Short mmCIF file of all heavy atoms in Angstrom, two decimals:
data_model
loop_
_atom_site.label_atom_id
_atom_site.label_comp_id
_atom_site.label_asym_id
_atom_site.label_seq_id
_atom_site.Cartn_x
_atom_site.Cartn_y
_atom_site.Cartn_z
N GLN A 1 -17.02 26.62 -19.84
CA GLN A 1 -18.38 26.62 -20.08
C GLN A 1 -19.17 26.18 -18.87
O GLN A 1 -20.01 25.25 -18.90
CB GLN A 1 -18.80 25.84 -21.32
CG GLN A 1 -18.17 26.42 -22.61
CD GLN A 1 -18.70 25.64 -23.83
OE1 GLN A 1 -19.12 24.53 -23.73
NE2 GLN A 1 -18.45 26.26 -25.04
N GLN A 2 -18.79 26.73 -17.77
CA GLN A 2 -19.51 26.57 -16.39
C GLN A 2 -19.38 25.06 -15.93
O GLN A 2 -20.23 24.59 -15.13
CB GLN A 2 -20.94 26.94 -16.56
CG GLN A 2 -21.22 28.29 -16.94
CD GLN A 2 -20.60 29.29 -15.98
OE1 GLN A 2 -20.76 29.23 -14.77
NE2 GLN A 2 -19.82 30.27 -16.45
N ARG A 3 -18.32 24.37 -16.35
CA ARG A 3 -18.10 23.03 -15.80
C ARG A 3 -16.65 22.64 -15.92
O ARG A 3 -15.93 23.17 -16.68
CB ARG A 3 -18.95 22.04 -16.51
CG ARG A 3 -18.73 21.91 -18.00
CD ARG A 3 -19.46 20.80 -18.71
NE ARG A 3 -19.15 19.49 -18.25
CZ ARG A 3 -19.60 18.39 -18.80
NH1 ARG A 3 -20.51 18.42 -19.78
NH2 ARG A 3 -19.27 17.26 -18.31
N TRP A 4 -16.24 21.64 -15.08
CA TRP A 4 -14.87 21.12 -15.16
C TRP A 4 -14.88 20.17 -16.33
O TRP A 4 -15.67 19.27 -16.41
CB TRP A 4 -14.57 20.44 -13.83
CG TRP A 4 -14.33 21.29 -12.67
CD1 TRP A 4 -15.11 21.56 -11.64
CD2 TRP A 4 -13.15 22.22 -12.54
NE1 TRP A 4 -14.62 22.50 -10.75
CE2 TRP A 4 -13.47 22.91 -11.27
CE3 TRP A 4 -12.05 22.46 -13.18
CZ2 TRP A 4 -12.49 23.87 -10.77
CZ3 TRP A 4 -11.16 23.42 -12.72
CH2 TRP A 4 -11.39 24.11 -11.45
N ARG A 5 -13.74 20.23 -17.09
CA ARG A 5 -13.51 19.33 -18.21
C ARG A 5 -12.15 18.87 -18.23
O ARG A 5 -11.15 19.51 -17.83
CB ARG A 5 -13.84 20.02 -19.51
CG ARG A 5 -15.25 20.60 -19.59
CD ARG A 5 -15.43 21.42 -20.94
NE ARG A 5 -16.81 21.98 -21.07
CZ ARG A 5 -17.82 21.41 -21.59
NH1 ARG A 5 -17.62 20.20 -22.10
NH2 ARG A 5 -18.96 22.03 -21.64
N VAL A 6 -11.87 17.73 -18.81
CA VAL A 6 -10.51 17.16 -19.00
C VAL A 6 -9.85 18.06 -20.03
O VAL A 6 -10.51 18.77 -20.80
CB VAL A 6 -10.50 15.67 -19.44
CG1 VAL A 6 -11.17 14.80 -18.36
CG2 VAL A 6 -11.20 15.47 -20.72
N GLN A 7 -8.53 17.93 -20.09
CA GLN A 7 -7.77 18.69 -21.11
C GLN A 7 -8.09 18.21 -22.55
O GLN A 7 -8.42 17.02 -22.69
CB GLN A 7 -6.28 18.55 -20.80
CG GLN A 7 -5.95 19.16 -19.42
CD GLN A 7 -4.45 19.05 -19.06
OE1 GLN A 7 -3.64 18.72 -19.90
NE2 GLN A 7 -4.15 19.25 -17.76
N PRO A 8 -7.98 19.09 -23.50
CA PRO A 8 -8.45 18.70 -24.90
C PRO A 8 -7.82 17.41 -25.38
O PRO A 8 -8.42 16.64 -26.13
CB PRO A 8 -7.99 19.98 -25.71
CG PRO A 8 -7.99 21.08 -24.73
CD PRO A 8 -7.56 20.56 -23.42
N ASP A 9 -6.55 17.11 -25.09
CA ASP A 9 -5.93 15.86 -25.59
C ASP A 9 -6.53 14.62 -24.94
O ASP A 9 -6.17 13.54 -25.33
CB ASP A 9 -4.39 15.93 -25.37
CG ASP A 9 -3.78 17.03 -26.15
OD1 ASP A 9 -4.41 17.49 -27.12
OD2 ASP A 9 -2.63 17.49 -25.74
N HIS A 10 -7.30 14.82 -23.86
CA HIS A 10 -7.77 13.65 -23.10
C HIS A 10 -9.24 13.35 -23.32
O HIS A 10 -9.75 12.58 -22.62
CB HIS A 10 -7.47 13.84 -21.62
CG HIS A 10 -6.05 14.04 -21.33
ND1 HIS A 10 -5.53 14.73 -20.28
CD2 HIS A 10 -4.90 13.62 -22.08
CE1 HIS A 10 -4.21 14.83 -20.29
NE2 HIS A 10 -3.84 14.15 -21.30
N GLN A 11 -9.85 14.03 -24.32
CA GLN A 11 -11.28 13.83 -24.55
C GLN A 11 -11.58 12.33 -24.82
O GLN A 11 -10.87 11.69 -25.52
CB GLN A 11 -11.73 14.72 -25.71
CG GLN A 11 -11.60 16.22 -25.49
CD GLN A 11 -12.56 16.69 -24.43
OE1 GLN A 11 -13.63 16.17 -24.19
NE2 GLN A 11 -12.35 17.85 -23.78
N ASP A 12 -12.72 11.82 -24.24
CA ASP A 12 -13.23 10.51 -24.56
C ASP A 12 -12.32 9.49 -24.03
O ASP A 12 -12.35 8.27 -24.45
CB ASP A 12 -13.45 10.35 -26.08
CG ASP A 12 -14.48 11.32 -26.62
OD1 ASP A 12 -15.39 11.61 -25.89
OD2 ASP A 12 -14.23 11.76 -27.77
N GLN A 13 -11.45 9.71 -23.11
CA GLN A 13 -10.56 8.72 -22.46
C GLN A 13 -11.03 8.47 -21.04
O GLN A 13 -11.63 9.32 -20.42
CB GLN A 13 -9.13 9.17 -22.42
CG GLN A 13 -8.55 9.39 -23.83
CD GLN A 13 -6.98 9.65 -23.78
OE1 GLN A 13 -6.31 9.01 -23.03
NE2 GLN A 13 -6.61 10.68 -24.56
N ASP A 14 -10.82 7.27 -20.52
CA ASP A 14 -11.22 6.90 -19.20
C ASP A 14 -10.21 7.53 -18.19
O ASP A 14 -9.00 7.34 -18.40
CB ASP A 14 -11.19 5.40 -19.04
CG ASP A 14 -12.35 4.74 -19.84
OD1 ASP A 14 -13.35 5.38 -20.04
OD2 ASP A 14 -12.15 3.54 -20.19
N ILE A 15 -10.76 8.22 -17.23
CA ILE A 15 -9.90 8.85 -16.23
C ILE A 15 -10.37 8.44 -14.80
O ILE A 15 -11.48 7.90 -14.66
CB ILE A 15 -9.95 10.37 -16.34
CG1 ILE A 15 -11.37 10.96 -16.00
CG2 ILE A 15 -9.48 10.82 -17.77
CD1 ILE A 15 -11.45 12.38 -15.87
N GLU A 16 -9.57 8.74 -13.86
CA GLU A 16 -9.90 8.51 -12.49
C GLU A 16 -9.62 9.87 -11.71
O GLU A 16 -8.51 10.38 -11.81
CB GLU A 16 -9.11 7.50 -11.81
CG GLU A 16 -9.43 7.23 -10.33
CD GLU A 16 -8.61 6.12 -9.67
OE1 GLU A 16 -7.85 5.49 -10.38
OE2 GLU A 16 -8.70 5.99 -8.41
N ILE A 17 -10.65 10.38 -11.03
CA ILE A 17 -10.42 11.57 -10.21
C ILE A 17 -9.70 11.17 -8.92
O ILE A 17 -10.22 10.23 -8.22
CB ILE A 17 -11.79 12.19 -9.88
CG1 ILE A 17 -12.50 12.65 -11.06
CG2 ILE A 17 -11.60 13.42 -8.97
CD1 ILE A 17 -11.84 13.74 -11.89
N VAL A 18 -8.57 11.79 -8.70
CA VAL A 18 -7.80 11.40 -7.49
C VAL A 18 -7.66 12.60 -6.49
O VAL A 18 -6.95 12.52 -5.55
CB VAL A 18 -6.34 10.95 -7.93
CG1 VAL A 18 -6.48 9.65 -8.64
CG2 VAL A 18 -5.67 11.99 -8.75
N GLY A 19 -8.29 13.71 -6.74
CA GLY A 19 -8.34 14.82 -5.91
C GLY A 19 -8.84 14.47 -4.47
O GLY A 19 -9.90 13.73 -4.33
N GLY A 20 -8.16 14.89 -3.45
CA GLY A 20 -8.54 14.47 -2.08
C GLY A 20 -7.99 13.07 -1.60
O GLY A 20 -8.20 12.79 -0.43
N LYS A 21 -7.52 12.31 -2.52
CA LYS A 21 -7.09 10.97 -2.18
C LYS A 21 -5.65 10.91 -1.62
O LYS A 21 -5.32 10.02 -0.93
CB LYS A 21 -7.19 10.09 -3.38
CG LYS A 21 -7.00 8.64 -3.18
CD LYS A 21 -7.13 7.80 -4.43
CE LYS A 21 -6.90 6.27 -4.18
NZ LYS A 21 -7.12 5.56 -5.48
N TYR A 22 -4.86 11.90 -1.91
CA TYR A 22 -3.46 12.00 -1.51
C TYR A 22 -3.13 13.43 -1.00
O TYR A 22 -3.90 14.34 -1.12
CB TYR A 22 -2.56 11.69 -2.69
CG TYR A 22 -2.76 10.45 -3.43
CD1 TYR A 22 -3.46 10.38 -4.62
CD2 TYR A 22 -2.35 9.22 -2.85
CE1 TYR A 22 -3.65 9.16 -5.28
CE2 TYR A 22 -2.51 8.04 -3.52
CZ TYR A 22 -3.11 7.96 -4.68
OH TYR A 22 -3.39 6.76 -5.37
N LEU A 23 -1.89 13.51 -0.41
CA LEU A 23 -1.35 14.78 -0.06
C LEU A 23 -0.28 15.10 -1.03
O LEU A 23 0.40 14.17 -1.59
CB LEU A 23 -0.76 14.73 1.33
CG LEU A 23 -1.69 14.47 2.55
CD1 LEU A 23 -1.02 14.60 3.88
CD2 LEU A 23 -2.92 15.43 2.56
N ILE A 24 -0.05 16.37 -1.27
CA ILE A 24 1.06 16.83 -2.10
C ILE A 24 1.77 17.98 -1.45
O ILE A 24 1.13 18.70 -0.70
CB ILE A 24 0.45 17.28 -3.47
CG1 ILE A 24 1.56 17.70 -4.45
CG2 ILE A 24 -0.55 18.40 -3.32
CD1 ILE A 24 1.10 17.93 -5.88
N SER A 25 3.11 18.10 -1.59
CA SER A 25 3.80 19.15 -0.90
C SER A 25 3.45 20.53 -1.46
O SER A 25 3.03 20.58 -2.72
CB SER A 25 5.31 18.92 -1.11
OG SER A 25 5.76 19.20 -2.43
N GLY A 26 3.54 21.58 -0.85
CA GLY A 26 3.17 22.93 -1.26
C GLY A 26 3.93 23.27 -2.45
O GLY A 26 3.30 23.87 -3.43
N ASN A 27 5.19 23.03 -2.50
CA ASN A 27 6.01 23.50 -3.71
C ASN A 27 5.63 22.64 -4.94
O ASN A 27 5.51 23.19 -6.02
CB ASN A 27 7.57 23.26 -3.40
CG ASN A 27 8.01 24.28 -2.39
OD1 ASN A 27 7.59 25.36 -2.39
ND2 ASN A 27 9.05 23.86 -1.58
N SER A 28 5.42 21.36 -4.78
CA SER A 28 4.99 20.44 -5.88
C SER A 28 3.62 20.90 -6.44
O SER A 28 3.38 20.96 -7.62
CB SER A 28 5.02 19.04 -5.45
OG SER A 28 6.19 18.53 -5.13
N LEU A 29 2.75 21.28 -5.52
CA LEU A 29 1.41 21.71 -5.97
C LEU A 29 1.45 23.01 -6.84
O LEU A 29 0.82 23.17 -7.74
CB LEU A 29 0.50 22.01 -4.75
CG LEU A 29 -0.88 22.56 -5.07
CD1 LEU A 29 -1.63 21.60 -5.97
CD2 LEU A 29 -1.66 22.88 -3.76
N LYS A 30 2.39 23.89 -6.36
CA LYS A 30 2.51 25.19 -7.07
C LYS A 30 2.95 24.96 -8.47
O LYS A 30 2.40 25.53 -9.47
CB LYS A 30 3.49 26.13 -6.35
CG LYS A 30 3.51 27.48 -6.80
CD LYS A 30 4.49 28.29 -5.86
CE LYS A 30 4.38 29.78 -6.13
NZ LYS A 30 5.32 30.51 -5.26
N ALA A 31 3.92 24.10 -8.67
CA ALA A 31 4.55 23.80 -9.94
C ALA A 31 3.52 23.03 -10.84
O ALA A 31 3.27 23.32 -12.07
CB ALA A 31 5.83 22.98 -9.89
N PHE A 32 2.78 22.10 -10.27
CA PHE A 32 1.77 21.26 -10.93
C PHE A 32 0.65 22.18 -11.45
O PHE A 32 0.15 22.10 -12.60
CB PHE A 32 1.29 20.17 -10.02
CG PHE A 32 -0.06 19.62 -10.45
CD1 PHE A 32 -0.22 18.90 -11.61
CD2 PHE A 32 -1.14 19.85 -9.64
CE1 PHE A 32 -1.48 18.45 -11.98
CE2 PHE A 32 -2.39 19.33 -10.05
CZ PHE A 32 -2.60 18.68 -11.22
N TRP A 33 0.16 23.07 -10.54
CA TRP A 33 -1.01 23.88 -10.88
C TRP A 33 -0.73 24.82 -12.08
O TRP A 33 -1.59 25.07 -12.91
CB TRP A 33 -1.48 24.62 -9.65
CG TRP A 33 -2.92 25.00 -9.72
CD1 TRP A 33 -3.47 26.15 -10.01
CD2 TRP A 33 -4.03 24.05 -9.59
NE1 TRP A 33 -4.87 26.15 -9.95
CE2 TRP A 33 -5.25 24.82 -9.78
CE3 TRP A 33 -4.03 22.66 -9.27
CZ2 TRP A 33 -6.48 24.19 -9.62
CZ3 TRP A 33 -5.33 22.06 -9.20
CH2 TRP A 33 -6.53 22.87 -9.39
N ASN A 34 0.51 25.32 -12.00
CA ASN A 34 0.88 26.25 -13.16
C ASN A 34 1.09 25.49 -14.51
O ASN A 34 0.72 26.01 -15.58
CB ASN A 34 2.19 26.93 -12.76
CG ASN A 34 2.02 28.04 -11.68
OD1 ASN A 34 0.96 28.55 -11.51
ND2 ASN A 34 3.10 28.29 -10.90
N ALA A 35 1.61 24.28 -14.46
CA ALA A 35 1.92 23.52 -15.61
C ALA A 35 0.61 22.73 -16.14
O ALA A 35 0.45 22.46 -17.32
CB ALA A 35 3.03 22.47 -15.43
N GLY A 36 -0.28 22.43 -15.18
CA GLY A 36 -1.46 21.68 -15.56
C GLY A 36 -1.28 20.17 -15.58
O GLY A 36 -2.25 19.45 -15.74
N LYS A 37 -0.08 19.73 -15.33
CA LYS A 37 0.21 18.27 -15.28
C LYS A 37 1.56 18.07 -14.63
O LYS A 37 2.34 19.01 -14.37
CB LYS A 37 0.33 17.74 -16.71
CG LYS A 37 1.45 18.26 -17.55
CD LYS A 37 1.55 17.60 -18.87
CE LYS A 37 2.70 18.13 -19.76
NZ LYS A 37 2.76 17.44 -21.06
N SER A 38 1.76 16.78 -14.13
CA SER A 38 2.98 16.47 -13.48
C SER A 38 3.23 14.97 -13.69
O SER A 38 2.29 14.16 -13.48
CB SER A 38 3.00 16.77 -12.01
OG SER A 38 4.23 16.37 -11.38
N THR A 39 4.48 14.57 -14.00
CA THR A 39 4.78 13.15 -14.10
C THR A 39 5.69 12.70 -12.96
O THR A 39 6.16 11.57 -12.90
CB THR A 39 5.56 12.88 -15.44
OG1 THR A 39 6.68 13.71 -15.51
CG2 THR A 39 4.60 13.10 -16.61
N SER A 40 5.84 13.58 -11.95
CA SER A 40 6.62 13.27 -10.76
C SER A 40 6.10 14.06 -9.59
O SER A 40 6.84 14.89 -9.01
CB SER A 40 8.14 13.55 -10.94
OG SER A 40 8.28 14.91 -11.28
N PRO A 41 4.82 13.87 -9.24
CA PRO A 41 4.18 14.69 -8.14
C PRO A 41 4.65 14.40 -6.79
O PRO A 41 4.44 15.18 -5.84
CB PRO A 41 2.73 14.46 -8.38
CG PRO A 41 2.69 13.05 -8.88
CD PRO A 41 3.86 12.98 -9.84
N LYS A 42 5.24 13.24 -6.52
CA LYS A 42 5.69 12.88 -5.19
C LYS A 42 4.50 12.97 -4.18
O LYS A 42 4.63 13.61 -3.14
CB LYS A 42 6.88 13.72 -4.76
CG LYS A 42 8.12 13.59 -5.64
CD LYS A 42 9.31 14.39 -5.13
CE LYS A 42 10.49 14.16 -6.04
NZ LYS A 42 11.67 15.04 -5.63
N LEU A 43 3.49 12.22 -4.47
CA LEU A 43 2.31 12.26 -3.65
C LEU A 43 2.52 11.36 -2.40
O LEU A 43 3.35 10.48 -2.44
CB LEU A 43 1.09 11.75 -4.43
CG LEU A 43 0.68 12.61 -5.69
CD1 LEU A 43 -0.47 11.92 -6.41
CD2 LEU A 43 0.43 14.05 -5.42
N LYS A 44 1.80 11.70 -1.38
CA LYS A 44 1.80 10.86 -0.17
C LYS A 44 0.44 10.39 0.12
O LYS A 44 -0.58 11.03 -0.11
CB LYS A 44 2.25 11.70 1.08
CG LYS A 44 3.72 12.29 0.89
CD LYS A 44 4.73 11.13 1.09
CE LYS A 44 6.12 11.69 1.22
NZ LYS A 44 7.21 10.69 1.33
N HIS A 45 0.29 9.14 0.62
CA HIS A 45 -0.96 8.65 1.15
C HIS A 45 -1.41 9.43 2.32
O HIS A 45 -0.60 10.01 3.07
CB HIS A 45 -0.85 7.15 1.62
CG HIS A 45 -0.65 6.20 0.42
ND1 HIS A 45 -1.69 5.86 -0.39
CD2 HIS A 45 0.40 5.49 0.01
CE1 HIS A 45 -1.25 5.03 -1.29
NE2 HIS A 45 -0.01 4.75 -1.01
N LEU A 46 -2.70 9.55 2.51
CA LEU A 46 -3.23 10.24 3.74
C LEU A 46 -2.63 9.62 5.01
O LEU A 46 -2.72 8.44 5.23
CB LEU A 46 -4.68 10.19 3.75
CG LEU A 46 -5.47 10.82 2.58
CD1 LEU A 46 -6.98 10.69 2.74
CD2 LEU A 46 -4.99 12.26 2.31
#
């Protein structure tokens, strides 16, 4: 509906936007984006 929203299971919960804060490997990003979530993203600090 013309805006970014959290996933339905996470409505009314406190979240933190972390986009742009870390780097992610290309392969990990591909898997994460398709699944919509990841519990082992192997992020790197900038």
Side-chain angles (χ1 to χ4, degrees):
Q1 295 182 346
Q2 302 301 311
R3 59 177 295 187
W4 290 106
R5 301 175 184 270
V6 299
Q7 298 178 16
D9 293 342
H10 303 155
Q11 296 290 336
D12 301 323
Q13 297 187 44
D14 292 332
I15 66 168
E16 179 183 352
I17 300 296
V18 291
K21 188 176 179 180
Y22 303 104
L23 297 184
I24 184 172
S25 73
N27 289 328
S28 294
L29 175 61
K30 193 175 188 180
F32 159 67
W33 206 253
N34 289 332
K37 64 179 181 179
S38 176
T39 56
S40 57
K42 298 181 180 179
L43 304 176
K44 297 286 188 182
H45 288 286
L46 301 181

